Amino acid sequence: MKNENPRNNIVIEGLWFSGKTTLAKYYCSRNGYDFVPEPIHLGNISEAESVNSWYLSEHTKREAILDARHSAVLERSSLSSYAFQYALEDGFFDNFELNQLKRSIQEHAVLVVYLKSDQLSLPKGISSDEYYSGANQILSDTRRRKRYEQWFLEELPYSYGITPFVLRTPENGVRKTPEMMEEEVRAVLMHDRVAQVNVVCYWCGAAETKVLVLKRNQRKGGFWQTITGGVHVGEGLFEAAKREVFEEIGLNVNDTSLSATGAKYSFPGNDGYILDEYVFSFRVDSMESVHISEEHETFEWLGVEDAKNRVAYENNRTAIESLENKKNRHFSLIENCL
């Protein structure tokens, strides 16, 4: 549902020099938000306290704002501390702070934005002194940089239930302007959609696995698909997948029947920004238990190949194929039927 005047709090994350400060300040100036800059370590830390612990503590103090008001933009949060530790494979903080932040994000529909850029390095003229040593350790190491982004793009949504909006800062090889990025963030809030979920429902028969495909009503295009839907601001992936299953086929989902396949792809949404779509599988006990909503006009249970041929879009075929892919995050779901 479109929100014409969204005032959600926003957290902006990303690697060093990805444009976090520029976007945060520009968004605040255009939309009347309060800018909360990231804490800066200037060397005033006791010997008993590590730099990483200091940052985590400072981030946690700032995050109280998320419970106290709307219309604030935080430049970085405790999420960056966890990502830093994950990138360096240097142990992990206690998850208490992360769980507190998750509660705030869910209860107050906080938008977490992650700026993704493929080409970043320390700018010329900036030395790798104590302040920038962390940036240099990660930006200069391809593996560490990949792990930093993996924290936000995979670990955070799958393992911790926080779904970021991934804002790709280059567009056709050209860096996006602050105006372009601000428009995307506003569009996400207006349409209350940070990502998509695709849920492939399947039933294990004695001789064959059946996949559920649904035909959308003519007003919504009249094409065949699996279950798809948007992830709301502040909503976790698993929660979104369960909600979509209930809304579209009337079934309550338990945790043992729903799995993240690990498949993911991106596509240009209809609201002016690129969406990441995460694929889940849902094993049903009975094909007769499905009751479709008004969004669809009919449905069928088909074999895997027939289901892939029936759906209209390649992304849906990729989602169905994820049931068979042994390289998935979990396991071959079809093999598990046998």
Side-chain angles (χ1 to χ4, degrees):
M1 182 177 294
K2 190 172 181 180
N3 182 358
E4 297 293 346
N5 187 32
R7 305 301 296 173
N8 309 59
N9 288 320
I10 302 170
V11 172
I12 297 180
E13 295 282 359
L15 284 160
W16 291 263
F17 312 109
S18 59
K20 297 184 304 299
T21 306
T22 301
L23 172 58
K25 288 183 175 180
Y26 187 81
Y27 195 93
C28 290
S29 67
R30 288 292 302 272
N31 298 280
Y33 275 53
D34 296 326
F35 173 56
V36 184
E38 68 174 303
I40 301 298
H41 161 50
L42 298 175
N44 54 340
I45 296 177
S46 66
E47 293 182 2
E49 186 178 28
S50 71
V51 173
N52 291 340
S53 296
W54 181 86
Y55 271 113
L56 181 61
S57 175
E58 292 300 308
H59 285 312
T60 303
K61 293 175 186 176
R62 294 159 66 250
E63 287 161 9
I65 291 173
L66 301 177
D67 294 322
R69 71 175 86 168
H70 283 296
S71 308
V73 176
L74 272 68
E75 178 191 18
R76 278 214 167 114
S77 67
S78 58
L79 297 176
S80 61
S81 294
Y82 285 90
F84 185 81
Q85 293 294 95
Y86 185 83
L88 298 183
E89 300 177 87
D90 191 25
F92 294 93
F93 298 111
D94 186 281
N95 283 339
F96 176 78
E97 290 84 1
L98 185 55
N99 288 331
Q100 289 293 102
L101 177 57
K102 176 182 177 179
R103 178 190 59 77
S104 297
I105 289 171
Q106 292 178 336
E107 289 186 5
H108 301 286
V110 176
L111 174 61
V112 177
V113 179
Y114 181 76
L115 302 186
K116 187 179 186 304
S117 180
D118 295 331
Q119 298 295 327
L120 291 176
S121 60
L122 286 174
K124 293 181 180 179
I126 294 182
S127 62
S128 179
D129 55 19
E130 185 177 3
Y131 173 65
Y132 289 109
S133 60
N136 192 51
Q137 286 181 73
I138 294 176
L139 291 178
S140 62
D141 187 313
T142 302
R143 184 173 181 276
R144 287 174 171 174
R145 176 198 169 102
K146 185 177 180 180
R147 282 183 62 83
Y148 190 94
E149 292 210 325
Q150 183 183 9
W151 164 258
F152 283 99
L153 304 184
E154 296 182 21
E155 294 299 324
L156 193 61
Y158 282 125
S159 302
Y160 296 96
I162 298 173
T163 311
F165 166 59
V166 181
L167 197 165
R168 292 153 174 83
T169 55
E171 185 172 60
N172 299 323
V174 178
R175 193 178 184 88
K176 289 181 180 176
T177 65
E179 292 88 347
M180 295 166 67
M181 292 191 289
E182 184 261 349
E183 286 178 3
E184 287 193 32
V185 173
R186 275 199 302 111
V188 170
L189 289 176
M190 287 179 63
H191 295 281
D192 192 17
R193 187 185 299 259
V194 300
Q196 286 266 125
V197 289
N198 187 318
V199 184
V200 182
C201 296
Y202 70 102
W203 173 81
C204 292
E208 186 181 23
T209 297
K210 296 287 188 178
V211 174
L212 176 68
V213 292
L214 306 98
K215 186 178 182 182
R216 293 171 72 101
N217 62 39
Q218 294 304 311
R219 185 173 58 85
K220 289 183 172 290
F223 56 86
W224 290 85
Q225 62 168 179
T226 50
I227 293 175
T228 62
V231 182
H232 299 320
V233 177
E235 187 176 33
L237 291 179
F238 281 86
E239 287 71 25
K242 292 177 182 179
R243 175 179 51 75
E244 287 295 335
V245 168
F246 180 76
E247 290 176 356
E248 295 198 11
I249 62 173
L251 296 181
N252 289 307
V253 180
N254 62 57
D255 292 335
T256 60
S257 60
L258 183 73
S259 298
T261 70
K264 184 177 73 169
Y265 38 77
S266 304
F267 66 96
N270 296 324
D271 302 322
Y273 52 92
I274 293 177
L275 283 168
D276 286 335
E277 185 160 287
Y278 300 80
V279 180
F280 289 79
S281 68
F282 172 47
R283 179 174 176 171
V284 302
D285 296 326
S286 169
M287 290 189 289
E288 286 72 35
S289 60
V290 170
H291 300 281
I292 60 175
S293 69
E294 294 180 354
E295 183 175 330
H296 297 94
E297 60 183 46
T298 189
F299 69 94
E300 290 187 30
W301 287 97
L302 302 174
V304 174
E305 290 303 317
D306 288 337
K308 287 192 291 185
N309 291 331
R310 181 64 61 87
V311 295
Y313 295 106
E314 186 63 32
N315 285 350
N316 267 237
R317 284 187 281 277
T318 299
I320 295 171
E321 287 172 353
S322 71
L323 294 179
E324 302 174 293
N325 188 354
K326 293 182 181 180
K327 296 181 180 179
N328 281 339
R329 186 179 181 89
H330 293 273
F331 49 82
S332 173
L333 294 159
I334 286 181
E335 185 176 78
N336 192 54
C337 286
L338 303 177

PDB file of all heavy atoms in Angstrom, residues 198-220:
ATOM      1  N   ASN A 198       9.883 -14.925  -3.088  1.00  0.00           N
ATOM      2  CA  ASN A 198       9.256 -15.848  -4.025  1.00  0.00           C
ATOM      3  C   ASN A 198       9.179 -17.188  -3.310  1.00  0.00           C
ATOM      4  O   ASN A 198      10.212 -17.740  -2.916  1.00  0.00           O
ATOM      5  CB  ASN A 198      10.088 -15.966  -5.305  1.00  0.00           C
ATOM      6  CG  ASN A 198       9.394 -16.783  -6.384  1.00  0.00           C
ATOM      7  OD1 ASN A 198       8.795 -17.809  -6.117  1.00  0.00           O
ATOM      8  ND2 ASN A 198       9.509 -16.313  -7.624  1.00  0.00           N
ATOM      9  N   VAL A 199       7.983 -17.695  -3.101  1.00  0.00           N
ATOM     10  CA  VAL A 199       7.802 -18.948  -2.365  1.00  0.00           C
ATOM     11  C   VAL A 199       7.298 -20.024  -3.328  1.00  0.00           C
ATOM     12  O   VAL A 199       6.220 -19.900  -3.905  1.00  0.00           O
ATOM     13  CB  VAL A 199       6.807 -18.789  -1.199  1.00  0.00           C
ATOM     14  CG1 VAL A 199       6.738 -20.092  -0.394  1.00  0.00           C
ATOM     15  CG2 VAL A 199       7.214 -17.635  -0.297  1.00  0.00           C
ATOM     16  N   VAL A 200       8.114 -21.061  -3.507  1.00  0.00           N
ATOM     17  CA  VAL A 200       7.744 -22.182  -4.359  1.00  0.00           C
ATOM     18  C   VAL A 200       7.108 -23.254  -3.475  1.00  0.00           C
ATOM     19  O   VAL A 200       7.779 -23.866  -2.643  1.00  0.00           O
ATOM     20  CB  VAL A 200       8.964 -22.751  -5.098  1.00  0.00           C
ATOM     21  CG1 VAL A 200       8.537 -23.886  -6.028  1.00  0.00           C
ATOM     22  CG2 VAL A 200       9.687 -21.661  -5.883  1.00  0.00           C
ATOM     23  N   CYS A 201       5.811 -23.468  -3.643  1.00  0.00           N
ATOM     24  CA  CYS A 201       5.104 -24.496  -2.867  1.00  0.00           C
ATOM     25  C   CYS A 201       5.216 -25.833  -3.600  1.00  0.00           C
ATOM     26  O   CYS A 201       5.008 -25.901  -4.814  1.00  0.00           O
ATOM     27  CB  CYS A 201       3.637 -24.128  -2.709  1.00  0.00           C
ATOM     28  SG  CYS A 201       3.368 -22.618  -1.774  1.00  0.00           S
ATOM     29  N   TYR A 202       5.533 -26.879  -2.869  1.00  0.00           N
ATOM     30  CA  TYR A 202       5.656 -28.191  -3.502  1.00  0.00           C
ATOM     31  C   TYR A 202       5.068 -29.277  -2.610  1.00  0.00           C
ATOM     32  O   TYR A 202       4.946 -29.126  -1.399  1.00  0.00           O
ATOM     33  CB  TYR A 202       7.118 -28.495  -3.844  1.00  0.00           C
ATOM     34  CG  TYR A 202       8.016 -28.741  -2.653  1.00  0.00           C
ATOM     35  CD1 TYR A 202       8.392 -30.037  -2.300  1.00  0.00           C
ATOM     36  CD2 TYR A 202       8.506 -27.689  -1.887  1.00  0.00           C
ATOM     37  CE1 TYR A 202       9.220 -30.273  -1.214  1.00  0.00           C
ATOM     38  CE2 TYR A 202       9.333 -27.912  -0.806  1.00  0.00           C
ATOM     39  CZ  TYR A 202       9.692 -29.202  -0.473  1.00  0.00           C
ATOM     40  OH  TYR A 202      10.505 -29.441   0.610  1.00  0.00           O
ATOM     41  N   TRP A 203       4.693 -30.388  -3.247  1.00  0.00           N
ATOM     42  CA  TRP A 203       4.139 -31.548  -2.567  1.00  0.00           C
ATOM     43  C   TRP A 203       4.898 -32.778  -3.010  1.00  0.00           C
ATOM     44  O   TRP A 203       5.178 -32.953  -4.207  1.00  0.00           O
ATOM     45  CB  TRP A 203       2.659 -31.688  -2.895  1.00  0.00           C
ATOM     46  CG  TRP A 203       2.017 -32.947  -2.380  1.00  0.00           C
ATOM     47  CD1 TRP A 203       1.563 -33.184  -1.124  1.00  0.00           C
ATOM     48  CD2 TRP A 203       1.749 -34.140  -3.127  1.00  0.00           C
ATOM     49  NE1 TRP A 203       1.038 -34.439  -1.021  1.00  0.00           N
ATOM     50  CE2 TRP A 203       1.141 -35.058  -2.247  1.00  0.00           C
ATOM     51  CE3 TRP A 203       1.975 -34.521  -4.459  1.00  0.00           C
ATOM     52  CZ2 TRP A 203       0.750 -36.331  -2.651  1.00  0.00           C
ATOM     53  CZ3 TRP A 203       1.590 -35.786  -4.861  1.00  0.00           C
ATOM     54  CH2 TRP A 203       0.984 -36.677  -3.954  1.00  0.00           C
ATOM     55  N   CYS A 204       5.286 -33.611  -2.064  1.00  0.00           N
ATOM     56  CA  CYS A 204       6.060 -34.812  -2.369  1.00  0.00           C
ATOM     57  C   CYS A 204       5.133 -36.010  -2.566  1.00  0.00           C
ATOM     58  O   CYS A 204       4.522 -36.482  -1.601  1.00  0.00           O
ATOM     59  CB  CYS A 204       7.044 -35.111  -1.235  1.00  0.00           C
ATOM     60  SG  CYS A 204       8.373 -33.898  -1.088  1.00  0.00           S
ATOM     61  N   GLY A 205       5.028 -36.479  -3.799  1.00  0.00           N
ATOM     62  CA  GLY A 205       4.234 -37.667  -4.073  1.00  0.00           C
ATOM     63  C   GLY A 205       5.095 -38.916  -4.109  1.00  0.00           C
ATOM     64  O   GLY A 205       6.323 -38.841  -4.056  1.00  0.00           O
ATOM     65  N   ALA A 206       4.464 -40.048  -4.236  1.00  0.00           N
ATOM     66  CA  ALA A 206       5.201 -41.313  -4.247  1.00  0.00           C
ATOM     67  C   ALA A 206       6.087 -41.426  -5.477  1.00  0.00           C
ATOM     68  O   ALA A 206       7.178 -41.995  -5.415  1.00  0.00           O
ATOM     69  CB  ALA A 206       4.215 -42.481  -4.199  1.00  0.00           C
ATOM     70  N   ALA A 207       5.632 -40.876  -6.604  1.00  0.00           N
ATOM     71  CA  ALA A 207       6.394 -41.016  -7.842  1.00  0.00           C
ATOM     72  C   ALA A 207       6.923 -39.699  -8.385  1.00  0.00           C
ATOM     73  O   ALA A 207       7.845 -39.686  -9.195  1.00  0.00           O
ATOM     74  CB  ALA A 207       5.515 -41.680  -8.907  1.00  0.00           C
ATOM     75  N   GLU A 208       6.348 -38.575  -7.930  1.00  0.00           N
ATOM     76  CA  GLU A 208       6.711 -37.293  -8.530  1.00  0.00           C
ATOM     77  C   GLU A 208       6.478 -36.152  -7.550  1.00  0.00           C
ATOM     78  O   GLU A 208       5.555 -36.197  -6.739  1.00  0.00           O
ATOM     79  CB  GLU A 208       5.885 -37.060  -9.804  1.00  0.00           C
ATOM     80  CG  GLU A 208       6.270 -35.825 -10.584  1.00  0.00           C
ATOM     81  CD  GLU A 208       5.414 -35.627 -11.825  1.00  0.00           C
ATOM     82  OE1 GLU A 208       4.284 -36.167 -11.843  1.00  0.00           O
ATOM     83  OE2 GLU A 208       5.851 -34.931 -12.749  1.00  0.00           O
ATOM     84  N   THR A 209       7.323 -35.145  -7.643  1.00  0.00           N
ATOM     85  CA  THR A 209       7.122 -33.923  -6.878  1.00  0.00           C
ATOM     86  C   THR A 209       6.259 -32.963  -7.694  1.00  0.00           C
ATOM     87  O   THR A 209       6.494 -32.764  -8.887  1.00  0.00           O
ATOM     88  CB  THR A 209       8.472 -33.249  -6.569  1.00  0.00           C
ATOM     89  OG1 THR A 209       9.255 -34.109  -5.748  1.00  0.00           O
ATOM     90  CG2 THR A 209       8.266 -31.921  -5.843  1.00  0.00           C
ATOM     91  N   LYS A 210       5.252 -32.382  -7.057  1.00  0.00           N
ATOM     92  CA  LYS A 210       4.361 -31.437  -7.724  1.00  0.00           C
ATOM     93  C   LYS A 210       4.635 -30.021  -7.218  1.00  0.00           C
ATOM     94  O   LYS A 210       4.876 -29.803  -6.025  1.00  0.00           O
ATOM     95  CB  LYS A 210       2.896 -31.790  -7.462  1.00  0.00           C
ATOM     96  CG  LYS A 210       2.456 -33.137  -8.030  1.00  0.00           C
ATOM     97  CD  LYS A 210       2.328 -33.079  -9.545  1.00  0.00           C
ATOM     98  CE  LYS A 210       1.696 -34.356 -10.085  1.00  0.00           C
ATOM     99  NZ  LYS A 210       1.508 -34.299 -11.557  1.00  0.00           N
ATOM    100  N   VAL A 211       4.572 -29.072  -8.136  1.00  0.00           N
ATOM    101  CA  VAL A 211       4.812 -27.662  -7.821  1.00  0.00           C
ATOM    102  C   VAL A 211       3.533 -26.872  -8.076  1.00  0.00           C
ATOM    103  O   VAL A 211       2.861 -27.078  -9.097  1.00  0.00           O
ATOM    104  CB  VAL A 211       5.970 -27.100  -8.663  1.00  0.00           C
ATOM    105  CG1 VAL A 211       6.127 -25.594  -8.446  1.00  0.00           C
ATOM    106  CG2 VAL A 211       7.278 -27.811  -8.332  1.00  0.00           C
ATOM    107  N   LEU A 212       3.211 -25.965  -7.168  1.00  0.00           N
ATOM    108  CA  LEU A 212       2.019 -25.140  -7.307  1.00  0.00           C
ATOM    109  C   LEU A 212       2.311 -23.921  -8.178  1.00  0.00           C
ATOM    110  O   LEU A 212       3.260 -23.178  -7.926  1.00  0.00           O
ATOM    111  CB  LEU A 212       1.545 -24.665  -5.927  1.00  0.00           C
ATOM    112  CG  LEU A 212       0.351 -23.719  -5.905  1.00  0.00           C
ATOM    113  CD1 LEU A 212      -0.917 -24.441  -6.359  1.00  0.00           C
ATOM    114  CD2 LEU A 212       0.157 -23.121  -4.516  1.00  0.00           C
ATOM    115  N   VAL A 213       1.493 -23.727  -9.210  1.00  0.00           N
ATOM    116  CA  VAL A 213       1.554 -22.502 -10.012  1.00  0.00           C
ATOM    117  C   VAL A 213       0.171 -21.861  -9.999  1.00  0.00           C
ATOM    118  O   VAL A 213      -0.854 -22.554  -9.986  1.00  0.00           O
ATOM    119  CB  VAL A 213       2.021 -22.767 -11.455  1.00  0.00           C
ATOM    120  CG1 VAL A 213       3.478 -23.190 -11.481  1.00  0.00           C
ATOM    121  CG2 VAL A 213       1.150 -23.819 -12.137  1.00  0.00           C
ATOM    122  N   LEU A 214       0.149 -20.531  -9.986  1.00  0.00           N
ATOM    123  CA  LEU A 214      -1.099 -19.791  -9.881  1.00  0.00           C
ATOM    124  C   LEU A 214      -1.221 -18.815 -11.044  1.00  0.00           C
ATOM    125  O   LEU A 214      -0.218 -18.232 -11.483  1.00  0.00           O
ATOM    126  CB  LEU A 214      -1.161 -19.012  -8.564  1.00  0.00           C
ATOM    127  CG  LEU A 214      -0.931 -19.803  -7.274  1.00  0.00           C
ATOM    128  CD1 LEU A 214       0.530 -19.639  -6.822  1.00  0.00           C
ATOM    129  CD2 LEU A 214      -1.863 -19.342  -6.176  1.00  0.00           C
ATOM    130  N   LYS A 215      -2.440 -18.628 -11.525  1.00  0.00           N
ATOM    131  CA  LYS A 215      -2.678 -17.670 -12.595  1.00  0.00           C
ATOM    132  C   LYS A 215      -3.283 -16.401 -12.007  1.00  0.00           C
ATOM    133  O   LYS A 215      -4.350 -16.425 -11.398  1.00  0.00           O
ATOM    134  CB  LYS A 215      -3.624 -18.249 -13.643  1.00  0.00           C
ATOM    135  CG  LYS A 215      -3.802 -17.341 -14.853  1.00  0.00           C
ATOM    136  CD  LYS A 215      -4.711 -17.960 -15.901  1.00  0.00           C
ATOM    137  CE  LYS A 215      -4.825 -17.058 -17.118  1.00  0.00           C
ATOM    138  NZ  LYS A 215      -5.761 -17.630 -18.140  1.00  0.00           N
ATOM    139  N   ARG A 216      -2.576 -15.296 -12.187  1.00  0.00           N
ATOM    140  CA  ARG A 216      -3.068 -14.016 -11.682  1.00  0.00           C
ATOM    141  C   ARG A 216      -4.332 -13.609 -12.433  1.00  0.00           C
ATOM    142  O   ARG A 216      -4.520 -13.974 -13.604  1.00  0.00           O
ATOM    143  CB  ARG A 216      -1.987 -12.933 -11.853  1.00  0.00           C
ATOM    144  CG  ARG A 216      -0.777 -13.160 -10.969  1.00  0.00           C
ATOM    145  CD  ARG A 216       0.341 -12.203 -11.320  1.00  0.00           C
ATOM    146  NE  ARG A 216       0.038 -10.846 -10.898  1.00  0.00           N
ATOM    147  CZ  ARG A 216       0.523 -10.265  -9.806  1.00  0.00           C
ATOM    148  NH1 ARG A 216       1.323 -10.944  -9.005  1.00  0.00           N
ATOM    149  NH2 ARG A 216       0.230  -9.027  -9.505  1.00  0.00           N
ATOM    150  N   ASN A 217      -5.192 -12.849 -11.753  1.00  0.00           N
ATOM    151  CA  ASN A 217      -6.396 -12.388 -12.440  1.00  0.00           C
ATOM    152  C   ASN A 217      -6.016 -11.394 -13.545  1.00  0.00           C
ATOM    153  O   ASN A 217      -4.880 -10.900 -13.600  1.00  0.00           O
ATOM    154  CB  ASN A 217      -7.402 -11.786 -11.461  1.00  0.00           C
ATOM    155  CG  ASN A 217      -6.858 -10.562 -10.727  1.00  0.00           C
ATOM    156  OD1 ASN A 217      -6.163  -9.731 -11.303  1.00  0.00           O
ATOM    157  ND2 ASN A 217      -7.178 -10.451  -9.450  1.00  0.00           N
ATOM    158  N   GLN A 218      -6.954 -11.130 -14.449  1.00  0.00           N
ATOM    159  CA  GLN A 218      -6.646 -10.308 -15.620  1.00  0.00           C
ATOM    160  C   GLN A 218      -6.223  -8.892 -15.241  1.00  0.00           C
ATOM    161  O   GLN A 218      -5.385  -8.281 -15.908  1.00  0.00           O
ATOM    162  CB  GLN A 218      -7.868 -10.271 -16.565  1.00  0.00           C
ATOM    163  CG  GLN A 218      -8.193 -11.618 -17.184  1.00  0.00           C
ATOM    164  CD  GLN A 218      -7.004 -12.209 -17.938  1.00  0.00           C
ATOM    165  OE1 GLN A 218      -6.368 -11.535 -18.751  1.00  0.00           O
ATOM    166  NE2 GLN A 218      -6.701 -13.481 -17.668  1.00  0.00           N
ATOM    167  N   ARG A 219      -6.776  -8.378 -14.176  1.00  0.00           N
ATOM    168  CA  ARG A 219      -6.395  -7.024 -13.737  1.00  0.00           C
ATOM    169  C   ARG A 219      -4.932  -6.953 -13.336  1.00  0.00           C
ATOM    170  O   ARG A 219      -4.285  -5.928 -13.458  1.00  0.00           O
ATOM    171  CB  ARG A 219      -7.291  -6.604 -12.557  1.00  0.00           C
ATOM    172  CG  ARG A 219      -7.078  -5.180 -12.076  1.00  0.00           C
ATOM    173  CD  ARG A 219      -8.115  -4.818 -11.035  1.00  0.00           C
ATOM    174  NE  ARG A 219      -8.088  -5.712  -9.902  1.00  0.00           N
ATOM    175  CZ  ARG A 219      -7.269  -5.567  -8.855  1.00  0.00           C
ATOM    176  NH1 ARG A 219      -6.409  -4.568  -8.816  1.00  0.00           N
ATOM    177  NH2 ARG A 219      -7.328  -6.416  -7.834  1.00  0.00           N
ATOM    178  N   LYS A 220      -4.386  -8.099 -12.890  1.00  0.00           N
ATOM    179  CA  LYS A 220      -2.992  -8.155 -12.471  1.00  0.00           C
ATOM    180  C   LYS A 220      -2.088  -8.828 -13.501  1.00  0.00           C
ATOM    181  O   LYS A 220      -0.972  -9.229 -13.201  1.00  0.00           O
ATOM    182  CB  LYS A 220      -2.879  -8.876 -11.121  1.00  0.00           C
ATOM    183  CG  LYS A 220      -3.423  -8.057  -9.958  1.00  0.00           C
ATOM    184  CD  LYS A 220      -3.218  -8.776  -8.636  1.00  0.00           C
ATOM    185  CE  LYS A 220      -3.577  -7.877  -7.468  1.00  0.00           C
ATOM    186  NZ  LYS A 220      -2.611  -6.786  -7.282  1.00  0.00           N
TER     187      LYS A 220
END
